[in-house]
Amino acid sequence: MKRTDSEWKRILSQEEYRILREKGTERAFTGEYDGHFEEGMYVCAGCGNDLFESDTKYRSGCGWPAFYDALPESVEETKDNNFGMKRIEITCSKCESHLGHVFNDGPDPTGLRYCINSVSMDFKLDEKK
Ligand code: FE
């Protein structure tokens, strides 16, 4: 799914555009989903692609929503050496929007911490639970 830059500007809010398309970061501890623990699915704010299940969300204390796993093939990883840090950037596999980064200091069973901007996601409540 490809959109032009002017389409993204029209569809997204300024803050969404800054984070999703310009790889920005929301301020720590301010995001809508940082302390959010309902049962359901976190989807891409750019295209609605399913990304993270609530079962994999945990309290990392880092200031952003953290997950120990992503849904298969939902995200892409890219080396990010900006700001003098060696990090792995996470983007949506469908629309290439910036989501956050993944680190190796997460809990079992994966040991991973997907550190994701709240702004990059929407939440779909699981009505059955
Ligand atoms: Fe997307």
Side-chain angles (χ1 to χ4, degrees):
M1 199 199 76
K2 301 279 182 209
R3 291 186 190 280
T4 64
D5 196 49
S6 61
E7 283 178 313
W8 282 119
K9 279 192 170 141
R10 198 175 64 231
I11 294 164
L12 301 176
S13 70
Q14 269 192 337
E15 178 72 343
E16 287 172 340
Y17 184 85
R18 183 180 76 80
I19 292 172
L20 291 169
R21 307 311 304 179
E22 297 183 323
K23 305 187 186 302
T25 302
E26 71 196 14
R27 273 200 308 134
F29 302 104
T30 65
E32 181 180 1
Y33 300 129
D34 184 22
H36 178 269
F37 287 91
E38 305 276 344
E39 303 251 25
M41 181 71 73
Y42 293 85
V43 306
C44 175
C47 74
N49 186 24
D50 288 354
L51 302 174
F52 302 100
E53 289 179 301
S54 58
D55 294 0
T56 64
K57 194 172 190 293
Y58 71 99
R59 294 181 194 275
S60 75
C62 71
W64 294 273
F67 305 86
Y68 63 73
D69 207 1
L71 286 173
E73 296 177 27
S74 66
V75 301
E76 301 272 340
E77 299 187 358
T78 313
K79 278 187 190 148
D80 171 5
N81 295 333
N82 287 321
F83 308 110
M85 293 180 273
K86 287 199 196 305
R87 297 185 294 175
I88 305 211
E89 185 199 357
I90 295 298
T91 52
C92 172
S93 61
K94 283 212 176 124
C95 74
E96 299 175 359
S97 287
H98 175 75
L99 303 173
H101 292 85
V102 63
F103 302 93
N104 288 319
D105 56 12
D108 287 340
T110 62
L112 297 174
R113 170 171 57 100
Y114 289 84
C115 182
I116 307 297
N117 290 285
S118 297
V119 169
S120 298
M121 302 185 291
D122 290 322
F123 179 73
K124 289 198 297 196
L125 188 69
D126 186 343
E127 309 277 359
K128 289 170 293 187
K129 288 186 180 172

